[in-house]
Amino acid sequence: MRLTRTLLAGLRDCTVRNWKKVWKYQGKYFDQPYTIPEALASKGIPVIKVNDIKPVYTKWVPPVSDDPRFAEPIPPEKQEDWKPEPVYVHHDNVRLFEGIKQVCLIAKAQPFEGFPPSVDKLIGAMDVPDKDMILQRYIMQSQVWNTDEDNLPKPPPHPDKPRWKWVKQVGITHVKSTQILVRNLLRLCQIQTAQFPSFTGRKYILDVPIYSHIMYTGKAIIMKEPLDILLTSDQDLPPFADENAVDASVLYKIPDMWPIFPTVDFLKTNNYEILSNTGFSSDMKLTCPHTIIQFPRKTHWEVKHYQAAQIMSCLMYTAALARKRFGEHVKILPKPICVQHVSVEQGKFLFAFFQLNTLDFESDSGIKNFIWTADRSDLYSETHPQPWLKDPLLEKSKIVDYDPVAFDRFLAVYLNGFPEMSSILQKQTEKATASS
C-alpha cells in the first residue's frame, strides 16, 4: 500500500462509508516497470535492481584466537553436564506463589505457627545494657552514616502521586545496608555471650556454597547457591520436637493442591549434577549448622513467598547434611537435624525453624518434617519522601517506628543451643517465684 495524498485526504472524514470509498479507488497503486535510459543502454552499462543487490559480509576474526572476550558460547546440549532427563531447579529467583502450603507438600512437613517452645522462652531472657542506644546507632550506621553513593532504584509509586517523576537518587544499597546491620547485631550477640565457656564453639562464615538435591516423586529438585551467612557450632541444635511428636506426625494429613502440582513454579534444566555439598571439608571444625541468615534480593514478594524460600533453603541444606552423615540412600533419619533461618531485609526480620525427620518424599504417608514460621518483626520502618508537598520535612526519607522486639527475637535465636542458658532461665524462674 502506498499512502498517497488522496488517500490521506480521506482521514478528514472518518466515516466508514467515505473511508471504504476512498480505499476502493485510491488504495491500490500499480508500480510501473522500470525502463533503461537510452544513454546507458548505448554504452552497455548494466542496470541492477536494488532488491537484487546482495552485500557480501566477511566474518571478523579476533587478533588473538583464544581471547575469552570473544569466545562463542557452548550450546547447552554440548556441555559436559548435559543429560537427556531434565530436573527441577530452585534458586533465589523462584517464587512459590502458594507459600507455606506449597512448600509443605514439597518438604512433606507439618507447619506450626510462632517460635518453637525451646526458643520462645529465650526471648527477653538476657538483658543488654544500653540496648536502645546501641541499636539506634547500628540503624544509623547502616542507613545514614555511610559514604557510599550507588545508584538507587526508584521508590515505589505513591498513591497520591503515582506518575511523579522521581529525581535520580544515590546512596547505600538495600543489600549492603542490611549486611552492615546484621554484622553489627551478630557482634552485639557475641559480646553478650563472651562470658560463656561454650562461646568458643561458635563462628559464622560468609558466602557458603551449597549444592544439594531431593527426590520428589521420582523427580530431582536441585539447588546451587551460596548462603549469605551461616552460623555454625561445635554441636548440633537440640530437636525442636521430641520423639512422641515425631511419631504423632504420622496422623497429620498434608493439604493438597490438586490439580496443580507443587513443582509448578520450578524451572527445568538439562545441565546439572546430582551432588551433596555442605560447603565444608572433612578436616574443618565447628561445622554443625546453627542458623542460616540470608538477604533477599527481591523486594516485591509477599511474606509467604519469603517464608517458602526460607524453608527450601533449610530443606536443601539439611538434606545434603543428612546424606553426608547417614549415607546417600537414607530415608528415615536416625537422629533429627535442626536448623534455624533468619531472613533480613531493611530491618524486617523473618524467622523460620526446620526439623528434618525424613527424606522419603515418594508419598505423603509416614512421619513428617516440622516447620515453624513467625510473623514478620520490624526493627524500624522507613518513610518515603513526598517532595510534591513542598515541605522540607517531607523531602527526605526518615526512620520511624523503632521496635527492639525484633532484636530480642534475633538474640533468642542466637542463644539457642548454649548450655549455660538453662541455668540462667532457672535463676530467673526462682527469682520470679520468690518475688511473687
Side-chain angles (χ1 to χ4, degrees):
M1 181 188 72
R2 181 176 179 181
L3 297 178
T4 61
R5 180 176 298 180
T6 306
L7 181 62
L8 293 177
L11 296 177
R12 299 176 183 176
D13 187 0
C14 296
T15 58
V16 178
R17 178 181 299 178
N18 185 70
W19 177 258
K20 288 184 177 179
K21 182 180 178 180
V22 175
W23 181 264
K24 179 179 179 180
Y25 295 104
Q26 303 293 335
K28 297 180 180 179
Y29 177 80
F30 299 96
D31 193 6
Q32 299 296 329
Y34 72 96
T35 58
I36 302 176
E38 296 182 359
L40 297 179
S42 61
K43 295 182 179 181
I45 299 176
V47 178
I48 304 174
K49 293 182 179 181
V50 176
N51 296 334
D52 295 339
I53 300 176
K54 296 181 180 179
V56 179
Y57 298 100
T58 58
K59 185 178 180 181
W60 179 80
V61 180
V64 181
S65 59
D66 57 348
D67 193 338
R69 297 176 300 170
F70 309 105
E72 296 183 358
I74 303 176
E77 60 274 7
K78 294 184 179 180
Q79 297 180 11
E80 296 181 356
D81 57 353
W82 189 88
K83 297 175 179 60
E85 183 68 21
V87 297
Y88 296 107
V89 180
H90 179 267
H91 48 74
D92 55 357
N93 284 332
V94 175
R95 173 170 49 172
L96 304 181
F97 279 87
E98 288 297 325
I100 297 298
K101 178 181 179 181
Q102 186 173 355
V103 79
C104 284
L105 284 168
I106 299 172
K108 193 180 178 180
Q110 180 178 355
F112 299 94
E113 294 183 359
F115 280 44
S118 58
V119 186
D120 186 67
K121 63 183 180 181
L122 298 177
I123 300 177
M126 180 174 290
D127 296 330
V128 179
D130 302 327
K131 178 176 66 175
D132 292 336
M133 181 193 67
I134 296 174
L135 291 179
Q136 291 174 12
R137 289 187 175 182
Y138 285 165
I139 295 172
M140 292 297 294
Q141 181 180 356
S142 63
Q143 295 292 322
V144 182
W145 299 342
N146 195 283
T147 58
D148 282 8
E149 292 186 354
D150 297 328
N151 294 329
L152 300 180
K154 292 193 301 183
H158 197 275
D160 296 339
K161 288 287 184 178
R163 301 183 64 181
W164 178 264
K165 186 176 181 180
W166 292 95
V167 181
K168 186 178 180 180
Q169 298 182 359
V170 296
I172 182 172
T173 60
H174 289 182
V175 175
K176 186 169 184 179
S177 63
T178 305
Q179 292 174 348
I180 296 174
L181 178 63
V182 170
R183 293 184 186 183
N184 285 334
L185 295 182
L186 286 174
R187 188 179 302 110
L188 183 58
C189 294
Q190 291 174 339
I191 292 173
Q192 306 308 314
T193 58
Q195 71 275 12
F196 293 167
S198 59
F199 171 75
T200 56
R202 290 283 185 91
K203 71 175 181 179
Y204 68 88
I205 312 171
L206 306 178
D207 298 329
V208 181
I210 65 169
Y211 202 149
S212 180
H213 71 280
I214 61 171
M215 299 300 298
Y216 179 78
T217 62
K219 286 283 188 177
I221 303 177
I222 65 173
M223 183 177 75
K224 182 181 180 181
E225 64 175 343
L227 304 178
D228 293 324
I229 299 178
L230 178 62
L231 182 63
T232 62
S233 176
D234 57 349
Q235 55 185 354
D236 293 329
L237 281 173
F240 300 123
D242 54 12
E243 296 182 1
N244 296 331
V246 175
D247 296 336
S249 65
V250 178
L251 304 177
Y252 178 75
K253 181 175 177 56
I254 304 176
D256 200 356
M257 289 179 56
W258 181 260
I260 301 175
F261 290 101
T263 56
V264 63
D265 296 318
F266 293 127
L267 305 177
K268 286 187 177 181
T269 182
N270 293 83
N271 300 89
Y272 62 90
E273 293 289 343
I274 302 296
L275 302 174
S276 295
N277 180 22
T278 59
F280 300 103
S281 58
S282 58
D283 57 343
M284 295 181 65
K285 299 180 180 179
L286 308 179
T287 58
C288 296
H290 185 275
T291 304
I292 299 172
I293 303 176
Q294 287 183 297
F295 314 124
R297 270 64 175 179
K298 304 298 180 181
T299 58
H300 61 280
W301 287 7
E302 299 179 16
V303 172
K304 63 179 183 180
H305 302 148
Y306 292 124
Q307 292 175 338
Q310 287 181 285
I311 301 304
M312 284 301 301
S313 297
C314 295
L315 172 63
M316 289 297 182
Y317 189 82
T318 52
L321 191 62
R323 285 189 290 267
K324 183 178 180 180
R325 291 183 179 180
F326 308 118
E328 288 291 332
H329 305 288
V330 63
K331 294 296 183 180
I332 306 300
L333 273 62
K335 179 182 177 182
I337 299 178
C338 298
V339 69
Q340 305 172 135
H341 195 290
V342 183
S343 178
V344 189
E345 195 273 324
Q346 284 292 94
K348 302 176 179 62
F349 290 77
L350 277 175
F351 301 94
F353 306 86
F354 185 77
Q355 178 172 325
L356 183 68
N357 300 316
T358 178
L359 286 175
D360 185 11
F361 302 110
E362 299 300 327
S363 65
D364 295 339
S365 60
I367 65 174
K368 311 296 189 301
N369 300 315
F370 292 149
I371 294 172
W372 286 265
T373 55
D375 296 334
R376 193 182 72 184
S377 300
D378 295 351
L379 183 61
Y380 64 91
S381 300
E382 185 178 359
T383 60
H384 297 288
Q386 302 180 30
W388 55 86
L389 296 180
K390 305 301 180 180
D391 188 351
L393 298 177
L394 300 176
E395 291 182 356
K396 296 182 179 180
S397 60
K398 293 179 177 57
I399 299 172
V400 297
D401 299 335
Y402 163 73
D403 189 3
V405 176
F407 172 73
D408 295 339
R409 295 184 176 183
F410 185 82
L411 180 60
V413 171
Y414 185 86
L415 294 176
N416 186 25
F418 276 113
E420 293 84 1
M421 290 306 301
S422 58
S423 60
I424 294 177
L425 292 175
Q426 184 178 0
K427 291 179 182 179
Q428 290 182 353
T429 304
E430 293 176 355
K431 184 178 179 180
T433 304
S435 61
S436 60

